[in-house]
Amino acid sequence: MARRRPRHAAPPRFDPRLLGVTLLAAVIAAAGAATVILVPARDASIRPGAAIAPTASVTPESAAPPTITITGTGDIIMGSAPDRLPAEPEGFFDAVAPALAGDLLSGNFEGALTEIAKSGKCGDPPVANCDAFRMPPEYARVIAEAGFDVVNLANNHTLDYGTDGLADTREAFSAAGVEYTGMRGQYAELTFEGVRVAVLGVSPYSWSQDVHDIEGTAALVEAAGERNDLVVVNMQAGGEGRDRDHVVRGEETFLGENRGDVVRFAHAVIDAGADLVLGHGPHVLRGMEFYKGRLIAYSLGNFAGYRVLATEGNRGIGATVSVTLAIDGTWVDGVLHATRMTADGRPALDPDNTAHELSNRLSRDDFAGTAALVTEGGRITPP
């Protein structure tokens, strides 16, 4: 995918102070001075007409390295056509806007953006308890307007309306200016303030980048890392349901499907150079751990599931994580924003911050000494 600038980046503006600095440099040079002092054009400490002292010079070595804040959400389903769609989709994400801040916003989109009316997944007539999620293609614009830069399409609902439905979904997101990832051998590339980020997605299915193909995915991560500064992996894996909130070692299954070995996979991609792993699929919040200084959020739970996902108990609880990393992947800061779906499945902030304590309990139970814990204000702290 082609790199693009963040939509909020402002074009460089002319700074009149540059003129004065240029003239001063010319005067010094004409007088035979041996050193010309260069002042950054946007240094707010320099006022028009102020004297410029040699001690004000800044060397590249003293400048702080660039950082980037990456925000990830849980599973997103904005309803299902024809009769389970919000009357006014615009503003669907407005209530959670504070939890979507950051330079790069990523989400796990489940379903198809298509006008295809019949799903081959559920048969004709449709079998009972078969979920096939379809939304209008224009919903891609709603997701773009909420600030999403990239969506993961590697999950068990992407092919609900077949390969033609997937083609429509990809076209809709591209037209809306939202990158997508999750196809086999593919990753998205984005650039923010000079920091290059690769985002790739995996699921337990061979049409996508396969979570079972640990060696092949590690090679893809390595290739992405050679072209980019940071690599983010979206992992759709693990069993699902209200009783699947604990991370287990070894392979997990659901309805007879092998849903992958989430711990082995997550550790392997970090060994290969990934800087952040965002988990999806269990439809409940799971714990977090640090591995080799990198955060793994094993499941961010349900973020939105309008009239299609259960909202009771732990299935209604979700979170977004906003992770600030240095350009070399070093941890700088992180915040977990607690969310909760409304009764009809819209995303909302949780005033009780239920996800904070729930995440801590699950992280302590499952990871002990490597647990990532949430402290006051939602701050994510390494062990």
Side-chain angles (χ1 to χ4, degrees):
M1 303 295 294
R3 296 175 186 164
R4 61 190 182 93
R5 295 183 63 187
R7 62 174 61 88
H8 301 301
R13 296 178 297 177
F14 170 72
D15 191 331
R17 291 170 293 180
L18 279 174
L19 181 60
V21 173
T22 303
L23 292 175
L24 177 62
V27 171
I28 295 175
T35 303
V36 175
I37 302 169
L38 301 179
V39 180
R42 295 183 182 273
D43 188 347
S45 66
I46 305 299
R47 302 182 307 278
I52 303 175
T55 55
S57 61
V58 179
T59 63
E61 291 77 15
S62 65
T67 63
I68 182 172
T69 298
I70 300 166
T71 298
T73 78
D75 302 317
I76 300 171
I77 310 173
M78 295 178 64
S80 189
D83 56 359
R84 289 180 290 170
L85 295 174
E88 296 180 358
E90 289 77 11
F92 187 83
F93 299 98
D94 285 357
V96 287
L100 301 180
D103 299 301
L104 187 158
L105 178 58
S106 169
N108 183 53
F109 182 82
E110 302 212 30
L113 296 174
T114 183
E115 298 294 354
I116 299 173
K118 183 180 292 186
S119 169
K121 171 183 177 181
C122 297
D124 190 12
V127 299
N129 300 318
C130 177
D131 292 322
F133 303 135
R134 174 171 67 91
M135 290 146 278
E138 55 265 29
Y139 278 26
R141 176 179 52 81
V142 179
I143 290 172
E145 290 175 351
F148 284 90
D149 299 287
V150 60
V151 291
N152 175 49
L153 299 181
N155 57 65
N156 57 317
H157 288 290
T158 297
L159 291 181
D160 279 0
Y161 285 80
T163 56
D164 288 342
L166 172 57
D168 290 345
T169 303
R170 294 167 65 175
E171 182 179 350
F173 278 123
S174 294
V178 178
E179 305 282 358
Y180 61 82
T181 188
M183 304 301 103
R184 187 165 187 159
Q186 175 255 344
Y187 51 85
E189 293 183 322
L190 304 98
T191 300
F192 297 84
E193 300 297 334
V195 180
R196 298 166 299 175
V197 186
V199 184
L200 63 95
V202 301
S203 77
Y205 307 105
S206 58
W207 60 263
S208 72
Q209 187 61 35
D210 196 337
V211 72
H212 304 109
D213 182 12
I214 295 179
E215 183 177 343
T217 306
L220 186 62
V221 168
E222 291 178 357
E226 290 176 358
R227 291 171 49 90
N228 297 274
D229 302 303
L230 300 172
V231 179
V232 179
V233 176
N234 286 272
M235 175 182 67
Q236 168 90 10
E240 62 178 84
R242 62 184 179 184
D243 60 342
R244 308 304 290 272
D245 53 356
H246 283 284
V247 175
V248 299
R249 270 58 177 176
E251 294 180 338
E252 297 187 45
T253 61
F254 179 70
L255 297 179
E257 288 184 345
N258 184 331
R259 292 287 185 90
D261 184 333
V262 297
V263 175
R264 180 170 170 244
F265 174 86
H267 287 188
V269 294
I270 289 177
D271 288 338
D275 299 289
L276 175 65
V277 178
L278 302 173
H280 314 289
H283 290 291
V284 289
L285 192 69
R286 285 185 167 188
M288 303 185 294
E289 72 163 333
F290 277 91
Y291 175 71
K292 295 187 175 179
R294 271 53 177 173
L295 179 70
I296 306 170
Y298 280 93
S299 175
L300 294 172
N302 288 328
F303 186 59
Y306 185 78
R307 296 181 61 191
V308 297
L309 294 179
T311 62
E312 300 83 8
N314 61 348
R315 290 177 292 183
I317 298 169
T320 73
V321 292
S322 295
V323 174
T324 302
L325 303 176
I327 195 170
D328 64 353
T330 303
W331 179 264
V332 176
D333 200 4
V335 176
L336 184 144
H337 302 276
T339 64
R340 181 189 290 272
M341 290 193 298
T342 61
D344 62 0
R346 292 176 182 268
L349 298 179
D350 180 5
D352 297 325
N353 290 323
T354 309
H356 292 178
E357 184 51 41
L358 178 59
S359 177
N360 282 343
R361 176 174 63 81
L362 294 169
S363 299
R364 289 190 183 103
D365 287 350
D366 294 345
F367 305 111
T370 62
L373 298 181
V374 181
T375 59
E376 188 71 22
R379 182 68 52 81
I380 300 171
T381 57

